């Protein structure tokens, strides 16, 4: 049991002094306002202890390679799970050491100005989550940006349409069929409003270059984006476009996930048929990515390009992690969360930070960091809840669990918690439920367990709460409370309604 | 089996009830009695009966509790299967109009949207950003110099510098030093800059900590003794162009090329160019189902389709990251256009495969997208990165890359036929056997259209079609005219650099590189 369960011991290296970030390495960068993440030191620390236990971080390029491929004016991005807390304390989580990327996280500057209606808000005060307050007392986030997103479907269809009927077919079908709530664009729209309400801090050109701070040069009346001049400005349009780009990247990655392997093609009866599917899948995905990168370039902020390209890289890494995890990794909660980060949260949190940059906030500013933190926790909560629903909602709706993840051989939060309780599940997880009856056994154990589901929900709730805290952290300006409330409500509704089986609308 | 499922169902129902208070219970009970009130998705009352309706997945065809699966299913069922049908109308759309007057340059996308209604993306985007920046200058994409090789002007005067009768090789412009292997041989001269480019890419730029992705992504970069590396024409071009823009008088005896100063970013650009090229190879091989590439098994044979696609995506992502780090917005846009062009080219090729219509200009445009765009835009980016160069130089760099690229592909086409002429019966004629109508065939179709076009349409898959094509090509001088066209494009490329750049061994080597592209035999 002790060897198989991710106990606090497994994460002990994180608390070791060796993980502390040597600050003297900041020296060559200290001139710039940007936050340089000392990847070298992080990688060195992680390679010594962590990699043996957790396996490699696929997205992270080797330390030397990173060092070589940087000039003094480039950003260094760190996976967000090295910046923000991934697990609650009682499960062995910890708040990462302060590094430049999250240095301002707990700054006192955050709580200035007018009283914040959201201060100290607790998710657990709300109905369905243990409290009594009604969720309806918060504004509906989806309704709030409904108007802004109205042209979204139309324009994204136009953006991806080509003179090539195959591709426009693929792309159009895709966007048309997805009558969803447009989860990601909604977050981005709300985020852009929230960001507009914040004063940019310390925004000065570095060496005469605005770009070096990561912030876009905003061309609005007064030189600073405010709530009043935000709507309809260039900044606002660019942020809206970012929402479209994010959706395109997301869809492209889904399409590419769909590419079939040789083996599948050969086994199937309709080999030719499937081969054509591959062709179109590859091309349609490539096309969306190409389109996304052209549009990204037109946002005219290379930092944003770099951040979003990193998000794309993360998606690839997540897919590979899913395909090729080692048996031990399959059992680890942290490994599962990392995979979730790469596959889901990274796109959201990088997009959130990009929104801040487009709004004229420097890369390392409090606001930008808070945005990323919000996106990080929001994305993780979303994914965990999604995984829970794979067991519960599907069972309710369809009469039987859909278990898509298990069929892929993946163990998600509920199963992992169940495996902590019932050690006999652990070999099953390790062999990816390959043997006959494995799925049944795991399922029965999960439903027998008193705590597994609740623990998984607790984990989602933890991230939800963290997201709220992050959203409430930027300095509260007048009129901003409302927007932040929406953010929270977005989250909150997420939580509650997803529990009830509405998540399809959120994902789509 | 069903009994087992039932028991699990029962088990989970009770558990859930126990676990999650009365709310979930509520749901289970209410579900059966829920009335079917219309529901607005934006305003959901969690407790209302209409909300409960959302549980009924069957009501709405595209939603279920499993979003990702649903999405995948929705593509598969609606698009892919449709496109997979051999005679699906999606493949047989009318060919690209011969002369598209509305096609304003390579960056102007006139899009056919739905039923013929066009949407000008450029127009829409110009609201947001200034798209009239130098990178979107008008490009004479429609000028292919086809007239110069038309059949009734047999061996006539060429378009630019004139082609000597019988001899098909581009004429070196005046003022360019003759090829000297010590001074201005392009491959020799660029060696110090380019020789370790694969190694650097593999080591610095694409190295991940994930073993499988790592070996896949480096597949083409880590070959031993040049195997799998390819000719690296693109990095050579970028580096030579960068060097030739230094404007220094270079004395080959006293100083080696290493001493001169080029920007680090230009070297990085050369690497990015090669990465984008390689990423496209990964995806092309999956699409074309190719077996070998550069003398080794194609990547998807070695790693599987999925890994090859992911590795390609990974390289593209890495390339974009590296590109963004160059901190030059124009260059980022320039190079991301290339990625779009590569996809366009691939789609046009698939479509050509199916329609088999003789359209020389469409064919050349496809080649531009597939080959020349990368060369043109990376040359242009090299100039943009240099900074402080006149727009003419940027334009010249672009034209150089474009024309070399077009010539490069034309010669490839011609060589496919030459190989067979030299040693008949060998499995040359790869394009013809694959059903592709390349430039020589298209030239022949101009005069022998009646015989040839039906054969092209059925992809030369009937007995005697290949022989017919060969005869027609022979009669119409198809191969020769292809080479001539290539030579004319090479001359255009030479002209561009000679006019815009100061004389230097590097400039001369660019001229010789263009010459070499046409004069090669493999």
């Amino acid at each position: 049991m002790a060897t198989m369960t991710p106990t606090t011991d497994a994460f002990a290296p994180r608390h070791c002094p060796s993980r502390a970030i040597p600050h003297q390495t900041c020296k060559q960068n200290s001139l710039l306002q940007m936050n340089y993440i000392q990847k070298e030191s992080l990688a060195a620390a992680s390679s010594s202890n962590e990699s043996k236990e957790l396996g490699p971080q696929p997205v992270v390029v080797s330390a030397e390679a990173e060092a070589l491929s940087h000039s003094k004016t480039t950003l260094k991005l760190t996976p967000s799970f090295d910046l923000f807390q991934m697990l609650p304390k009682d499960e062995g989580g910890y708040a990462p050491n302060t590094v430049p990327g999250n240095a301002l996280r707990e700054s006192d500057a955050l709580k200035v100005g007018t009283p914040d209606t959201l201060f100290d808000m607790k998710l657990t005060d709300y109905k369905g989550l243990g409290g009594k307050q009604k969720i309806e007392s918060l504004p509906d986030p989806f309704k709030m940006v409904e108007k802004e997103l109205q042209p979204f479907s139309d324009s994204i269809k136009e953006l991806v349409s080509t003179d090539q009927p195959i591709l426009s077919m693929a792309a159009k079908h895709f966007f048309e069929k997805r009558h969803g709530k447009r989860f990601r664009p909604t977050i981005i729209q709300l985020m852009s409003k929230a960001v507009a309400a914040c004063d940019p801090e310390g925004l000065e050109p570095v060496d005469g270059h605005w770009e070096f701070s990561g912030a876009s040069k905003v061309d609005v009346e007064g030189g600073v984006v405010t709530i009043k001049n935000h709507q309809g400005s260039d900044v606002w349009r660019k942020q809206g476009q970012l929402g479209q780009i994010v959706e395109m990247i997301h869809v492209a990655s889904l399409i590419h996930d769909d590419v079939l392997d040789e083996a599948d093609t050969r086994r199937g009866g309709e080999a030719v048929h499937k081969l054509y599917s591959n062709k179109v899948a590859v091309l349609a995905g490539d096309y969306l990515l190409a389109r996304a990168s052209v549009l990204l370039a037109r946002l005219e902020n290379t930092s944003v390009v770099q951040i979003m390209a990193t998000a794309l890289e993360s998606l690839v890494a997540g897919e590979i992690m899913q395909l090729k995890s080692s048996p031990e990794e399959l059992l680890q909660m942290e490994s599962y969360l990392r995979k979730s980060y790469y596959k889901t949260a990274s796109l959201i949190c990088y997009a959130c930070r990009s929104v801040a940059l487009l709004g004229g906030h420097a890369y390392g500013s409090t606001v930008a960091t808070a945005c990323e933190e919000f996106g990080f926790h929001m994305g993780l909560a979303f994914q965990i809840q999604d995984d829970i629903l794979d067991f519960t909602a599907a069972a309710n709706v369809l009469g039987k669990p859909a278990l898509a993840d298990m069929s892929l051989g993946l163990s998600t939060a509920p199963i992992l918690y169940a495996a902590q309780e019932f050690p006999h599940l652990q070999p099953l997880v390790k062999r990816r439920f390959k043997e006959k009856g494995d799925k049944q056994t795991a399922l029965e154990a999960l439903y027998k367990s008193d705590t597994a589901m609740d623990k998984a929900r607790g984990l989602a709730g933890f991230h939800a709460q963290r997201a709220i805290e992050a959203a409430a952290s930027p300095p509260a300006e007048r009129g901003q409370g409302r927007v932040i409330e929406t953010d929270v409500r977005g989250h909150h509704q997420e939580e509650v309604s997803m529990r009830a089986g509405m998540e399809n609308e959120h994902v789509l | 089996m069903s009994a087992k499922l039932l028991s699990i169902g029962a088990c989970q129902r009770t558990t859930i009830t126990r676990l999650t208070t009365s709310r979930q219970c509520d749901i289970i009970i209410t579900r059966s009695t829920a009335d079917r009130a219309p529901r607005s998705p934006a305003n959901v009352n969690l407790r209302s009966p209409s909300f409960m309706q959302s549980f009924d997945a069957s009501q709405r065809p595209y939603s279920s509790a499993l979003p990702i699966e649903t999405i995948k299913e929705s593509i598969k069922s609606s698009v892919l299967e449709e496109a997979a049908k051999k005679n699906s109308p999606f493949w047989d759309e009318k060919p690209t109009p011969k002369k598209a007057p509305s096609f304003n340059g390579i960056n102007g996308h006139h899009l056919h949207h739905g039923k013929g209604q066009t949407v000008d993306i450029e127009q829409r985007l110009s609201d947001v950003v200034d798209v009239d920046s130098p990178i979107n200058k008008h490009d004479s994409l429609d000028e292919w110099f086809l007239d110069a090789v038309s059949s009734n002007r047999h061996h006539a005067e060429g378009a630019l510098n004139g082609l000597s009768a019988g001899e098909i090789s581009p004429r070196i412009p005046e003022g360019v030093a003759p090829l000297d292997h010590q001074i201005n041989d392009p491959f020799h001269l660029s060696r110090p800059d380019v020789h370790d480019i694969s190694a650097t890419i593999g080591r610095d730029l694409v190295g991940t900590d994930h073993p499988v992705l790592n070996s896949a992504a480096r597949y083409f970069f880590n070959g031993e003794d040049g195997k799998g590396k390819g000719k690296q024409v693109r990095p050579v071009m970028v580096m030579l162009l960068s060097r030739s823009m230094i404007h220094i008088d270079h004395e080959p005896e006293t100083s080696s090329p290493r001493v001169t100063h080029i920007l680090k970013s230009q070297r990085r650009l050369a690497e990015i160019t090669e990465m984008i090229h390689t990423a496209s190879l990964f995806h092309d091989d999956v699409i074309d189902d190719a077996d070998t590439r550069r003398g080794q098994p194609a990547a998807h044979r070695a790693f599987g389709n999925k890994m090859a696609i992911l590795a390609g995506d990974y390289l593209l992502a890495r390339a974009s990251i590296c590109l963004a780090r160059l901190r030059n917005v124009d260059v980022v846009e320039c190079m991301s256009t290339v990625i779009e062009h590569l996809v366009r080219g691939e789609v046009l090729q698939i479509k050509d495969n199916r329609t088999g219509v003789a359209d020389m200009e469409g064919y050349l445009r496809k080649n531009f997208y597939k080959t020349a765009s990368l060369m043109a835009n990376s040359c242009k980016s090299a100039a943009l990165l240099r900074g402080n160069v006149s727009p003419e130089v940027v334009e010249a760099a672009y034209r150089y890359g474009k024309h070399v690229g077009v010539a490069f592909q034309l010669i490839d086409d011609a060589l496919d036929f030459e190989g067979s002429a030299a040693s008949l019966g060998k499995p040359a004629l790869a394009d013809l056997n694959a059903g592709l109508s390349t430039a020589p065939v298209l030239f022949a179709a101009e005069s022998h259209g009646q015989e040839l076009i039906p054969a092209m349409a059925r992809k030369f898959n009937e007995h005697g079609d290949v022989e017919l094509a060969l005869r027609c090509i022979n009669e119409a001088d198809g191969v020769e005219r292809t080479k001539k066209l290539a030579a004319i494009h090479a001359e255009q490329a030479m002209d561009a650099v000679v006019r815009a750049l100061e004389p230097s061994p590097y400039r001369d080597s660019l001229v010789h590189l263009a010459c070499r592209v046409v004069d090669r035999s493999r």
Side-chain angles (χ1 to χ4, degrees):
Chain A
M1 179 84 186
T3 53
M4 290 168 159
T5 316
T7 60
T8 40
D9 281 354
F11 305 108
R14 294 233 168 220
H15 300 288
C16 287
S18 72
R19 273 195 66 85
I21 308 303
H23 284 282
Q24 65 270 24
T25 49
C26 295
K27 60 179 181 249
Q28 81 265 29
N29 300 319
S30 57
L31 291 170
L32 304 177
Q33 290 181 330
M34 258 189 302
N35 284 290
Y36 289 98
I37 313 308
Q38 298 310 307
K39 182 144 287 175
E40 294 86 349
S41 48
L42 277 178
S46 58
S47 63
S48 54
N49 313 310
E50 219 175 304
S51 55
K52 280 170 204 135
E53 294 166 45
L54 270 175
Q57 301 179 5
V59 79
V60 178
V61 170
S62 65
E64 308 85 60
E66 274 297 315
L68 277 167
S69 62
H70 283 99
S71 70
K72 71 165 190 169
T73 58
T74 54
L75 301 168
K76 293 184 180 179
L77 299 178
T78 302
S80 309
F81 53 70
D82 280 336
L83 300 180
F84 311 116
Q85 186 164 355
M86 217 154 51
L87 277 167
K89 270 217 167 69
D90 53 4
E91 290 183 46
Y94 70 104
N97 289 314
T98 302
V99 294
N102 62 3
L104 298 160
R105 196 161 37 120
E106 284 152 47
S107 157
D108 289 337
L110 298 183
K111 304 270 189 255
V112 292
T114 48
D116 188 341
T117 48
L118 292 176
F119 184 71
D120 213 20
M121 174 178 173
K122 291 272 181 288
L123 256 186
T124 44
D125 290 344
Y126 287 84
K127 251 186 187 170
L129 296 164
K132 292 228 164 83
Q133 289 188 46
K134 281 188 177 166
I135 313 147
E136 287 78 15
S137 63
L138 293 167
D140 181 342
F142 291 99
K143 206 157 197 186
M144 241 189 134
V145 293
E146 203 177 20
K147 276 204 189 99
E148 278 100 337
L149 288 178
Q150 203 62 56
F152 180 85
S153 302
D154 295 338
S155 70
I156 202 165
K157 265 181 265 155
E158 279 165 27
L159 287 173
V160 296
S161 65
T162 64
D163 43 1
Q164 297 316 319
I166 316 166
L167 293 188
S168 26
M169 277 299 300
K172 257 197 247 163
H173 266 249
F174 209 63
F175 289 110
E176 270 167 16
K177 296 268 156 81
R178 300 161 79 240
H179 300 297
K181 281 212 165 180
R182 298 181 288 248
F183 175 63
R184 289 168 184 80
T186 301
I187 291 186
I188 287 167
Q189 275 291 342
L190 290 170
M191 197 51 104
S192 75
K193 283 171 189 281
V195 157
C198 304
D199 271 335
E201 58 197 71
L203 182 68
E204 275 168 30
V206 179
D207 294 349
H209 291 271
W210 287 88
E211 287 221 326
F212 288 3
S213 74
S216 284
K217 194 178 177 184
V218 292
D219 191 16
V220 291
E221 214 178 314
V224 174
V225 179
T226 60
I227 291 182
K228 275 182 190 144
N229 65 14
H230 179 240
Q231 188 99 11
S233 66
D234 264 8
V235 172
W236 177 73
R237 266 185 293 234
K238 283 185 182 176
Q239 286 167 334
Q241 284 215 323
L242 182 73
Q244 299 175 340
I245 291 165
V246 166
E247 195 71 354
M248 282 158 91
I249 293 178
H250 170 62
V251 170
S253 79
L254 288 179
I255 294 180
H256 273 183
D257 283 359
D258 213 27
V259 171
L260 297 162
D261 248 318
E262 210 83 24
D264 303 331
T265 328
R266 296 231 166 106
R267 226 181 294 132
E270 298 165 279
V272 182
H273 172 102
K274 284 192 174 172
L275 227 60
Y276 273 116
S277 302
N278 264 1
K279 279 188 191 188
V280 179
V282 175
L283 279 175
D286 278 358
Y287 182 72
L288 285 177
L289 286 182
R291 223 37 239 156
S293 63
V294 173
L295 291 177
L296 209 49
R298 298 208 172 131
L299 298 180
E300 291 182 313
N301 182 328
T302 49
S303 299
V304 170
V305 175
Q306 187 189 339
I307 292 171
M308 295 311 293
T310 309
L312 174 59
E313 190 193 51
S314 302
L315 292 175
V316 176
E319 183 63 21
I320 283 173
M321 226 173 156
Q322 184 164 323
L323 287 175
K324 309 271 173 186
S325 284
S326 71
E328 283 70 31
E329 284 171 320
L330 286 172
L331 260 182
Q332 285 160 340
M333 186 58 81
E334 190 156 341
S335 172
Y336 156 75
L337 285 176
R338 276 192 189 174
K339 192 211 78 194
S340 306
Y341 162 73
Y342 283 128
K343 285 211 74 171
T344 313
S346 66
L347 185 58
I348 297 173
C349 70
Y350 282 138
C352 285
R353 202 189 268 266
S354 299
V355 166
L357 299 196
L358 288 175
H361 294 272
Y363 176 81
S365 62
T366 318
V367 174
T369 302
C371 285
E372 180 173 340
E373 189 169 10
F374 173 81
F376 173 73
H377 292 300
M378 182 84 170
L380 281 183
F382 178 74
Q383 185 58 50
I384 294 163
Q385 195 67 42
D386 208 38
D387 293 337
I388 294 171
L389 285 170
D390 196 31
F391 292 100
T392 57
N396 289 343
V397 176
L398 308 169
K400 62 170 172 135
L403 304 177
D405 293 323
M406 271 175 113
S407 317
L408 287 170
L410 298 174
S411 300
T412 52
I415 290 281
L416 288 178
Y417 281 119
Q420 285 177 14
E421 197 178 331
F422 304 108
H424 72 268
L425 286 188
Q426 292 177 1
L428 279 63
V429 170
K430 280 187 179 180
R431 64 174 178 247
R432 292 173 174 257
F433 309 109
K434 265 191 186 125
E435 282 175 28
K436 216 182 161 196
D438 277 1
K439 279 186 222 166
Q440 302 276 353
T441 319
L443 216 58
E444 276 168 38
L446 173 63
Y447 290 127
K448 226 184 288 165
S449 161
D450 287 327
T451 56
M453 273 300 183
D454 280 349
K455 273 187 176 170
R457 289 201 178 95
L459 187 59
F462 164 76
H463 284 294
Q465 183 61 40
R466 277 305 168 101
I468 291 173
E469 283 160 18
S473 66
E477 286 275 312
R478 205 142 40 107
Q480 183 215 6
R482 194 177 66 108
V483 178
I484 277 181
E485 258 177 52
T486 5
D487 273 347
V488 174
R489 165 68 197 258
H491 199 91
H492 189 78
Q493 192 182 3
E494 201 56 44
E495 267 304 287
V496 178
S497 59
M498 275 174 56
R499 236 166 235 231
M502 281 261 307
E503 109 290 3
N504 48 349
E505 299 225 331
H506 296 264
V507 177
L508 291 181
Chain B
M1 183 66 189
S2 59
K4 211 166 188 182
L5 268 178
L6 262 179
S7 76
I8 289 173
C11 159
Q12 93 205 21
R13 199 166 280 202
T14 49
T15 323
I16 287 167
T17 316
R18 184 153 43 91
L19 280 179
T20 59
T21 70
S22 60
R23 203 171 60 84
Q24 204 115 18
C25 238
D26 229 22
I27 288 164
I28 294 168
I29 298 159
T30 341
R31 216 191 121 224
S32 49
T33 55
D35 66 347
R36 302 278 184 239
R39 192 181 65 92
S40 119
N43 181 18
V44 174
N45 183 345
L46 286 174
R47 305 297 250 159
S48 77
S50 62
F51 166 69
M52 296 306 173
Q53 197 196 343
S54 72
F55 284 117
D56 195 344
S58 63
Q59 291 275 306
R60 289 170 304 155
Y62 296 106
S63 60
S64 84
L66 294 170
I68 289 174
E69 285 309 301
T70 321
I71 289 165
K72 287 183 175 177
E73 280 317 307
S74 96
I75 316 180
K76 255 191 210 151
S77 56
S78 57
V79 186
L80 302 185
E81 299 202 355
E82 186 58 48
K85 286 179 200 155
K86 271 247 162 159
N87 40 10
S88 143
F90 301 121
W91 303 87
D92 303 328
E93 198 84 349
K94 62 175 173 15
T96 12
K98 268 226 157 184
K99 205 72 168 197
S102 57
F103 200 90
N104 49 1
I106 50 159
N107 286 317
H109 309 296
H110 249 273
L111 302 172
H112 297 277
H113 180 60
K115 291 168 198 158
Q117 111 202 61
T118 55
V119 179
D120 194 342
I121 284 182
E122 227 64 31
Q123 201 59 50
R124 294 182 59 87
L125 284 171
S126 61
D127 298 344
V128 183
V129 283
D130 175 24
V131 287
D132 289 331
S133 48
I135 40 170
N136 287 326
K137 251 186 163 175
H138 176 74
D139 177 69
S140 57
L141 196 60
D142 285 335
E143 181 50 275
W144 301 110
F145 306 101
L146 280 171
D147 291 344
V149 288
S150 65
S151 52
N152 48 11
R153 288 215 274 158
H154 216 60
H155 290 191
E157 211 182 333
L160 187 68
N161 293 318
L163 293 165
S164 47
E167 179 80 10
I168 304 177
S169 69
R171 208 169 65 184
I172 309 285
E174 274 174 42
V176 173
L179 183 67
D180 183 325
H181 284 284
Q182 293 304 309
I183 301 170
N184 53 20
D185 177 88
F187 289 96
H188 185 76
L189 203 55
S190 61
R191 231 188 113 77
D193 288 325
V194 175
H195 75 100
D196 60 341
I197 209 159
S198 282
T200 350
I201 296 172
R203 196 182 62 229
D204 300 352
L205 298 182
V206 301
T208 77
D209 289 347
H210 197 281
V212 184
L213 180 62
N214 212 356
S215 49
R218 294 176 185 210
Y219 192 56
F220 288 124
F221 297 119
N222 279 0
E224 285 161 31
D225 46 85
K227 203 183 170 193
K229 257 165 60 173
K231 290 180 287 276
Q232 298 188 323
V233 180
R234 293 158 193 84
V236 167
M237 275 166 71
V238 172
M239 293 321 290
L240 286 177
L241 198 65
S242 305
R243 293 241 175 234
S244 67
M245 284 185 295
I246 301 173
H247 298 306
I248 48 139
D249 288 333
H250 178 64
E251 300 291 335
E253 293 87 11
T254 53
S255 61
S256 76
R258 275 177 184 281
V259 181
T260 55
H261 174 71
I262 55 162
L263 298 173
K264 253 185 177 174
S265 58
Q266 290 172 321
R267 154 77 190 214
R268 177 112 306 153
L269 177 73
E271 293 165 356
I272 292 169
T273 306
E274 195 66 3
M275 278 163 81
I276 293 178
H277 175 60
T278 310
S280 78
L281 294 185
F282 276 111
H283 287 191
D284 284 4
D285 284 350
V286 174
I287 292 168
D288 300 340
D289 205 21
D291 287 320
T292 57
R293 169 72 71 176
R294 292 176 177 176
Q296 49 182 359
H300 69 112
R301 293 272 182 256
F303 300 100
N305 279 339
K306 198 146 190 163
M307 220 22 146
I309 294 299
L310 288 174
D313 284 354
Y314 178 74
L315 279 181
L316 275 185
R318 280 312 291 174
S320 302
I321 294 174
C322 298
L323 207 52
R325 282 174 177 161
L326 298 180
R327 290 275 172 270
N328 185 322
V329 180
D330 290 344
V331 170
V332 172
E333 165 143 10
C334 217
M335 296 302 285
S336 38
T337 318
V338 172
I339 302 174
E340 180 174 346
H341 283 173
L342 289 170
V343 183
R344 260 165 194 269
E346 196 59 47
V347 173
L348 283 173
Q349 172 151 339
I350 289 188
K351 219 168 78 174
D352 279 1
N353 264 349
R354 297 181 60 110
T355 53
V357 176
D359 175 16
M360 193 65 191
E361 280 183 28
Y363 173 76
L364 288 173
R365 184 171 289 124
K366 183 203 83 185
N367 278 354
F368 170 79
Y369 287 141
K370 281 200 73 174
T371 315
S373 173
L374 178 56
M375 293 185 177
N377 281 302
S378 46
C379 285
K380 183 185 190 172
S381 300
L384 288 170
L385 281 175
R386 170 93 185 111
N388 290 328
V389 290
S390 65
E392 288 78 40
V393 172
V394 176
E395 181 66 21
Y398 181 83
R399 280 181 55 214
Y400 176 79
K402 177 188 143 186
H403 289 295
V404 169
V406 171
F408 186 87
Q409 191 60 47
L410 285 169
I411 291 296
D412 256 8
D413 294 348
L415 287 176
D416 194 45
F417 286 92
E418 296 240 305
S420 75
S423 47
L424 217 78
K426 266 199 165 183
L429 296 176
D431 293 338
L432 210 52
N433 287 326
L436 290 174
S437 302
T438 53
V441 182
L442 293 171
F443 273 124
E446 280 174 16
S447 50
H448 297 67
Q450 282 199 327
E451 308 167 65
L452 209 47
I453 285 176
M456 286 160 66
R458 59 178 179 256
K459 295 187 187 181
F460 309 108
N461 58 7
E462 273 180 27
H463 189 70
D465 277 354
V466 171
E467 287 72 19
L468 171 78
L470 285 179
R471 184 174 56 78
C472 293
I473 291 166
N474 209 14
E475 282 171 15
D477 280 334
V479 176
E480 211 147 279
R481 281 164 70 193
T482 305
K483 285 181 147 186
K484 260 192 186 175
L485 187 60
I488 288 168
H489 278 284
E491 282 177 4
Q492 287 286 328
M494 294 170 181
D495 182 58
V497 284
V498 168
R499 276 195 204 183
L501 298 175
E502 301 281 315
S504 74
Y506 293 105
R507 186 198 70 173
D508 293 355
S509 72
L510 282 171
V511 170
H512 293 303
L513 178 65
C515 192
R516 182 79 75 87
V517 160
V518 179
D519 246 353
R520 71 207 159 104
S521 57
R522 66 172 195 97

